[in-house]
C-alpha cells in the first residue's frame, strides 16, 4: 500500500494543503493588524475631540454636620462630624437628539456625534427628613451634572428653578470626580416640597452615550440619524425603532430595578463608571476585516474542494497534474483572499469579493488551459470555482444558517465524489497503470499508468 503511486500522490496533496497553511496564517495576522489600525481611529478621534460620554446627574450635594460625643483616652469629648448628602431626583427625564458625522483618518473612518440633551428633574424634600432635625447643620447646597469627558461640552443653558435662572460653573466639585458642571443653589430650595428644575446641554462625543438613571423613576429618550445603533449597558430600551434614516429608543428604570438610592449614599466617592446606565453605541457597520477573517476560515474548504476536483478529474481521465501545479493553483486561491482584503478597504466587501473572484477565475482559466490541455476543461473548472466563491459568499451572509449551508455543501461534494467513483476498483487503480493523455487527447506511446511524471 505505501509503495503505490496513489498513496504517495495523496500524501503529497496533503503536504501541499499543509504548506498553504503558512501563507494563510500570515494573511490572518495581516487582517488582525489592519483591524487594530482601524480600531485606533476611534482612539485618535477621542483624543482630538472627546471620548465616550456618561451623564451622571443632575443631583444636589448638601454638606451637613453634627456634634457627637466620643470617648478618647477614657474621656468624653465632643467633635463635629462632617458629611455630604447626595439628594437624588424623584423623577428624571432625559431627552436627546443625536446627529452623527463621519470622519476619516487615512483610509479608515470613524464617527463623531453631537447631541442636544434636555434634562428635567424633580426632587422630593422627604428624602432630607433625617437631616432636618435639631443638632444638624446644613451647608450651602449645589447642583451637579457629571459627564464622561468635559471637552465634549459645547454649551449649556442656565438652570431654571421656578422663575430663577442660575449659571453653571465648570467642574463637578465632587470628591472623586472633576468632570462636569455645577451651580450653587440658594438654601431656600431645600425647603421646597417638590423642587422642579430643567436645563439643556449640547454634548459631543465618540462611540457611546450613557445616562445613569439616578431618579426614583428615570426615562431616557434618544433620537438619532445613525441607522446602526448598539444597545449595550445594563438596560435594553423598552421601545426602539430602527430605519435607514436613523433610530429612536426609550429606556425606563426605577430604584426597584437598579437600587441606585442605596449605591449613591452619604459620603459616596463618585465613580459613575461602576453604576448601571442606559447606553447607546454608534456602531460602524463597515466591518470588512471581520468578514474577511471569517472568509479566510473557509479557505481550506475552498482549496480542499478544488484539489479534490483535480484529483477526481485525474482519476477518471488519466490526466496528469504535477504537485507544483496543484501548489500554484492553491497559491492563487490564497491570493484571492489577499486581493479581497486590499480591495475591501476601498470599495466595500461585496464589490471586492466580486472583483477578487473574477480576477482569480481569469488567472486560473488562463493557467488551466495549458494544464488541462483545452479551453473546455479549463472553463469547466473556472465555472466550478466561481460557484464555490458564490457559495462561500452566501455562507458569510447567512450567519444564522452558515453551519447548515456549509454542511449541505460538504454533503453534496461527498455525494458527487461517491457517485462518480462508485465503479472504480481502487485496488486495481493503485496497482496498475493508467494511460497518459497526449496533447491531442489520446494515450501516450508507452500507455503506462504514471500518477506524476
Amino acid at each position: 500500500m505505501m509503495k503505490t503511486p496513489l498513496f504517495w500522490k495523496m500524501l503529497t496533496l496533503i503536504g501541499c494543503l499543509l504548506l498553504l497553511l503558512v501563507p494563510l496564517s500570515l494573511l490572518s495576522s495581516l487582517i488582525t493588524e489592519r483591524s487594530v489600525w482601524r480600531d485606533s481611529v476611534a482612539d485618535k478621534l477621542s483624543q482630538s475631540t472627546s471620548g465616550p460620554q456618561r451623564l451622571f446627574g443632575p443631583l444636589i450635594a448638601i454638606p451637613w454636620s453634627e456634634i457627637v460625643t466620643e470617648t478618647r483616652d477614657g474621656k468624653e469629648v465632643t467633635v463635629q462630624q462632617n458629611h455630604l448628602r447626595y439628594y437624588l431626583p424623584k423623577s428624571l427625564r432625559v431627552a436627546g437628539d443625536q446627529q452623527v458625522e463621519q470622519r476619516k483618518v487615512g483610509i479608515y473612518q470613524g464617527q463623531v456625534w453631537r447631541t442636544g440633551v434636555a434634562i428635567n428633574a424633580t426632587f422630593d424634600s422627604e428624602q432630607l427628613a433625617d437631616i432636618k432635625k435639631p443638632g444638624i447643620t446644613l451647608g450651602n447646597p449645589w447642583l451637579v451634572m457629571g459627564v464622561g469627558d468635559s471637552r465634549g461640552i459645547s454649551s449649556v443653558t442656565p438652570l431654571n428653578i421656578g422663575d430663577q435662572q442660575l449659571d453653571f460653573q465648570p467642574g463637578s466639585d465632587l470628591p472623586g470626580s472633576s468632570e462636569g458642571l455645577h451651580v450653587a443653589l440658594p438654601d431656600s430650595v431645600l425647603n421646597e416640597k417638590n423642587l422642579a428644575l430643567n436645563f439643556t446641554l449640547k454634548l459631543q462625543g465618540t462611540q457611546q452615550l450613557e445616562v445613569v438613571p439616578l431618579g426614583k423613576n428615570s426615562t431616557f429618550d434618544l433620537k438619532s440619524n445613525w441607522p446602526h445603533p448598539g444597545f449595550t449597558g445594563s438596560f435594553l430600551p423598552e421601545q426602539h425603532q430602527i430605519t435607514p434614516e436613523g433610530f429612536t429608543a426609550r429606556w425606563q428604570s426605577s430604584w426597584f430595578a437598579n437600587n441606585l438610592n442605596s449605591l449613591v449614599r452619604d459620603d459616596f466617592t463618585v465613580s459613575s463608571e461602576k453604576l448601571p446606565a442606559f447606553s447607546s453605541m454608534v456602531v460602524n457597520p463597515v466591518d470588512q476585516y471581520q468578514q474577511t477573517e471569517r472568509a479566510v476560515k473557509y479557505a481550506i474548504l475552498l482549496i480542499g474542494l478544488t484539489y479534490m476536483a483535480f484529483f477526481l478529474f485525474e482519476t477518471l481521465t488519466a490526466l496528469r497534474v504535477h504537485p507544483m501545479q496543484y501548489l500554484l493553483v492553491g497559491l492563487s486561491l490564497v491570493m484571492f483572499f489577499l486581493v479581497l482584503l486590499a480591495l475591501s478597504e476601498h470599495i466595500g466587501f461585496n464589490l471586492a469579493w466580486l472583483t477578487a473572484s473574477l480576477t482569480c477565475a481569469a488567472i486560473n482559466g488562463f493557467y488551466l488551459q495549458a494544464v488541462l490541455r483545452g479551453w473546455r476543461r479549463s472553463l469547466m473548472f473556472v465555472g466550478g470555482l466561481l460557484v464555490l466563491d458564490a457559495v462561500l459568499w452566501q455562507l458569510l451572509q447567512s450567519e444564522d444558517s452558515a453551519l447548515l449551508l456549509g454542511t449541505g455543501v460538504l454533503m453534496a461534494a461527498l455525494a458527487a465524489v461517491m457517485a462518480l467513483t462508485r465503479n472504480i476498483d481502487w485496488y486495481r487503480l493503485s496497482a496498475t497503470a493508467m494511460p497518459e493523455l497526449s496533447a491531442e487527447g489520446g494515450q501516450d506511446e508507452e500507455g503506462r499508468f504514471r500518477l506524476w511524471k
Side-chain angles (χ1 to χ4, degrees):
M1 174 65 183
M2 295 184 61
K3 296 181 179 181
T4 63
L6 183 62
F7 171 78
W8 288 107
K9 180 169 186 176
M10 295 178 65
L11 189 63
T12 305
L13 292 182
I14 294 174
C16 288
L17 280 174
L18 295 177
L19 187 61
L20 290 174
L21 290 177
V22 176
L24 285 175
S25 64
L26 295 176
L27 182 57
S28 296
S29 299
L30 178 61
I31 295 172
T32 301
E33 181 181 349
R34 303 291 286 187
S35 64
V36 169
W37 288 349
R38 188 274 318 277
D39 294 338
S40 68
V41 170
D43 295 333
K44 291 181 180 179
L45 290 176
S46 297
Q47 294 171 6
S48 302
T49 56
S50 56
Q53 298 287 12
R54 170 173 281 226
L55 298 180
F56 176 72
L59 56 82
I60 299 175
I62 307 172
W64 62 278
S65 60
E66 62 178 338
I67 304 298
V68 298
T69 302
E70 294 182 353
T71 301
R72 297 181 179 178
D73 299 328
K75 297 180 180 180
E76 290 187 352
V77 295
T78 58
V79 296
Q80 178 176 299
Q81 292 184 345
N82 299 314
H83 303 279
L84 186 63
R85 165 63 56 91
Y86 294 99
Y87 186 11
L88 302 183
K90 178 181 179 181
S91 69
L92 173 63
R93 298 189 306 276
V94 180
D97 188 355
Q98 185 182 72
Q99 298 296 315
V100 180
E101 303 173 2
Q102 294 274 16
R103 298 290 179 88
K104 297 198 70 174
V105 179
I107 64 172
Y108 305 103
Q109 66 179 14
Q111 295 79 34
V112 175
W113 52 259
R114 301 177 189 275
T115 305
V117 182
I119 300 173
N120 291 267
T122 60
F123 295 79
D124 185 357
S125 61
E126 291 184 0
Q127 296 182 47
L128 306 178
D130 60 322
I131 59 173
K132 285 185 176 182
K133 58 184 180 180
I136 293 181
T137 304
L138 301 182
N140 297 321
W142 71 93
L143 183 132
V144 177
M145 186 68 212
V147 299
D149 189 340
S150 58
R151 294 179 302 160
I153 301 175
S154 300
S155 64
V156 58
T157 63
L159 176 68
N160 296 307
I161 301 181
D163 57 355
Q164 299 183 73
Q165 287 191 336
L166 305 173
D167 291 329
F168 280 94
Q169 301 299 321
S172 68
D173 212 21
L174 288 179
S177 175
S178 60
E179 303 279 351
L181 307 163
H182 76 279
V183 57
L185 300 177
D187 296 341
S188 59
V189 301
L190 302 182
N191 298 321
E192 295 189 24
K193 180 172 177 56
N194 290 297
L195 173 65
L197 55 87
N198 65 83
F199 63 96
T200 60
L201 181 69
K202 287 187 178 180
L203 201 61
Q204 176 180 282
T206 55
Q207 301 178 51
Q208 208 164 18
L209 172 61
E210 297 180 306
V211 174
V212 179
L214 284 179
K216 185 176 182 179
N217 293 287
S218 302
T219 60
F220 175 40
D221 294 282
L222 182 63
K223 178 183 177 182
S224 175
N225 67 336
W226 189 249
H228 308 287
F231 299 128
T232 57
S234 306
F235 306 94
L236 290 176
E238 290 194 346
Q239 303 172 14
H240 72 275
Q241 183 177 7
I242 303 174
T243 66
E245 290 74 34
F247 75 91
T248 58
R250 180 182 178 85
W251 290 262
Q252 187 169 355
S253 184
S254 69
W255 289 346
F256 296 104
N258 54 48
N259 204 33
L260 279 171
N261 59 320
S262 298
L263 297 175
V264 185
R265 58 193 181 278
D266 281 12
D267 302 322
F268 170 74
T269 299
V270 176
S271 181
S272 64
E273 293 79 10
K274 299 179 181 179
L275 299 177
F278 305 139
S279 180
S280 175
M281 178 177 289
V282 176
V283 177
N284 188 354
V286 185
D287 196 357
Q288 68 271 17
Y289 299 108
Q290 184 179 5
Q291 290 178 299
T292 306
E293 184 179 11
R294 290 185 59 214
V296 170
K297 293 179 181 178
Y298 292 105
I300 288 298
L301 174 63
L302 177 64
I303 298 172
L305 290 176
T306 304
Y307 278 13
M308 184 176 65
F310 276 132
F311 180 77
L312 186 62
F313 193 79
E314 282 191 79
T315 303
L316 295 176
T317 64
L319 181 70
R320 290 177 294 131
V321 180
H322 195 273
M324 183 57 67
Q325 293 168 328
Y326 274 94
L327 191 59
L328 288 175
V329 172
L331 286 174
S332 73
L333 298 180
V334 174
M335 283 297 298
F336 162 78
F337 295 100
L338 182 59
V339 173
L340 173 65
L341 173 63
L343 289 178
S344 64
E345 293 182 338
H346 299 275
I347 62 176
F349 182 80
N350 291 337
L351 187 57
W353 184 280
L354 177 62
T355 305
S357 296
L358 295 177
T359 303
C360 183
I363 293 174
N364 278 291
F366 174 76
Y367 181 70
L368 293 177
Q369 186 274 334
V371 174
L372 303 181
R373 302 173 187 176
W375 282 108
R376 180 184 174 187
R377 296 168 181 168
S378 174
L379 291 177
M380 287 175 57
F381 272 94
V382 168
L385 188 60
L386 289 174
V387 170
L388 281 177
D389 288 342
V391 170
L392 290 183
W393 182 85
Q394 187 61 39
L395 279 173
L396 296 176
Q397 303 301 313
S398 306
E399 295 186 12
D400 295 337
S401 57
L403 179 60
L404 178 62
L405 184 58
T407 303
V409 171
L410 291 176
M411 284 298 297
L414 179 59
V417 171
M418 294 175 68
L420 292 173
T421 61
R422 66 187 186 278
N423 295 321
I424 292 180
D425 185 350
W426 293 100
Y427 284 104
R428 180 177 177 274
L429 182 63
S430 61
T432 60
M434 291 179 62
E436 179 185 357
L437 292 181
S438 65
E440 291 76 17
Q443 298 181 7
D444 65 356
E445 295 179 356
E446 299 178 1
R448 296 178 301 168
F449 167 55
R450 291 178 293 177
L451 289 172
W452 288 315
K453 187 174 180 180

